[in-house]
Amino acid sequence: MSAKRSSINRPPTPDVDRDRENQEPTLQEIINIKMIESGEKERLKELLRERLIECGWRDEMKSLCRAYTRKKGRNNVTVDDLVHVITPKGRASVPDPVKAELLQRIRSFLASTAT
Amino acid sequence: MSAHSQLSSHFFEDLLDSIIVDVASECHRVARLGLDRNFEEEEEELRLSAQARARVADSSNNGETNSKYVVDIFGQTHPAVANEIFECMNCGRSIVAGRCFCSSLQGRKARLKVTRSATAAQNRYTRGSPGSSYSSYSNSTGMNRLSNGASSGVAGEEYSNGSFEEL
């Protein structure tokens, strides 16, 4: 009668939250959180968007999307398709001055965060 | 590359990817909702331009002798080949559109001069008779000016070489 059923002698459920707390957030995550909390991420995104519109990059990407849509058919394209179509060209065609300006702004934020 | 540079590049690419997704998402929305009003027009233009290219390529392959004329995407020839025949509104005779206007006009001017002088003489007796052998509006205008005794210069000029210009 004192014999225990095997079904209640199962190993305890691993405590996921405790394990996660042991992992330290990376520097990247910390900076990302600071960037979001301070609003700097939104400002940087807006600045980049503005610069990319001014230089015609956005129009070029929209043109690529239209061409792909024309080829595939309006109802047969997904957002994923369009992202995959324009990402390689989009990353490669950012003008150097725009990239330099944004990198400078990011480095300034990193420097101000480090102090 | 230093850690700082790596971090900076990572955040820059993060921002850029986010903007790429925004652009793709907007284009997808416009496409699916049919909000791009120029979409069908662009497709039609592309189709017509492809047809025109095929037509030009075909004509050049056929070795058409009319090689001095180029056909544009609207089907017009350059230089213009005015080989259509029209009926002159003034004298009613058939005339080729590309014919020099001055030659046909000179013909009418000659008739204008001859008939005007004849009619002017007639008018001196009849004083503004409505009958006129003129077939054009400009001729009747000229006649009226003569019958009224007004000198030309307001609506037209008659030059010494017999030409008449309606202003």
Side-chain angles (χ1 to χ4, degrees), chain A residues 11-19:
Chain A
T13 304
D15 195 349
V16 176
D17 291 336
R18 190 176 301 165
D19 287 347

Side-chain angles (χ1 to χ4, degrees), chain A residues 27-28 31-32 35 41 44-45 48-49 52 57-58 61-62 65-66 69-70 74-75 77-79 82-83 86-87 91 94 99 102-103 106-107 110-111, chain B residues 4-5 7-28 30-36 38-40 42-43 46:
Chain A
L27 178 62
Q28 195 170 295
I31 294 175
N32 192 40
M35 225 183 238
K41 189 158 192 181
L44 287 171
K45 187 176 174 183
L48 180 57
R49 185 185 286 125
L52 292 176
W57 176 95
R58 185 185 161 92
M61 295 303 111
K62 286 174 82 169
C65 290
R66 265 204 302 272
T69 303
R70 198 176 291 118
R74 183 185 293 177
N75 295 322
V77 293
T78 62
V79 178
L82 294 176
V83 168
I86 66 174
T87 292
R91 284 181 177 172
V94 176
K99 188 171 181 179
L102 266 294
L103 286 174
I106 293 169
R107 282 193 208 108
L110 293 177
Chain B
H4 240 62
S5 298
L7 266 177
S8 305
S9 295
H10 166 80
F11 284 116
F12 174 77
E13 283 172 12
D14 200 25
L15 292 170
L16 184 60
D17 286 346
S18 172
I19 290 176
I20 286 173
V21 169
D22 288 347
V23 171
S25 176
E26 186 186 332
C27 290
H28 176 263
V30 166
R32 291 300 289 261
L33 295 179
L35 299 177
D36 192 353
N38 294 332
F39 190 77
E40 282 88 11
E42 282 178 9
E43 281 191 331
L46 284 173

Side-chain angles (χ1 to χ4, degrees), chain B residues 3-140:
Chain B
H4 240 62
S5 298
Q6 273 184 343
L7 266 177
S8 305
S9 295
H10 166 80
F11 284 116
F12 174 77
E13 283 172 12
D14 200 25
L15 292 170
L16 184 60
D17 286 346
S18 172
I19 290 176
I20 286 173
V21 169
D22 288 347
V23 171
S25 176
E26 186 186 332
C27 290
H28 176 263
R29 177 179 159 271
V30 166
R32 291 300 289 261
L33 295 179
L35 299 177
D36 192 353
R37 278 173 282 175
N38 294 332
F39 190 77
E40 282 88 11
E41 289 173 9
E42 282 178 9
E43 281 191 331
E44 183 65 15
E45 275 184 25
L46 284 173
R47 188 182 65 79
L48 288 173
S49 70
Q51 274 182 4
R53 273 199 295 272
R55 199 163 47 230
V56 169
D58 194 36
S59 64
S60 64
N61 287 339
N62 289 342
E64 288 180 357
T65 55
N66 204 13
S67 58
K68 62 177 178 176
Y69 298 112
V70 176
V71 180
D72 66 10
I73 62 171
F74 301 104
Q76 294 176 343
T77 52
H78 295 277
V81 177
N83 54 4
E84 295 190 42
I85 297 177
F86 296 96
E87 189 176 308
C88 176
M89 290 171 66
N90 288 334
C91 58
R93 67 175 181 176
S94 298
I95 194 164
V96 177
R99 188 179 170 186
C100 176
F101 285 171
C102 57
S103 61
S104 67
L105 195 58
Q106 281 172 5
R108 290 201 295 276
K109 285 178 224 168
R111 288 194 299 282
L112 170 68
K113 190 177 173 185
V114 167
T115 51
R116 188 193 297 167
S117 58
T119 311
Q122 189 182 7
N123 283 341
R124 279 196 286 274
Y125 296 102
T126 60
R127 297 291 292 176
S129 165
S132 171
S133 62
Y134 293 140
S135 60
S136 67
Y137 177 74
S138 60
N139 294 345
S140 61

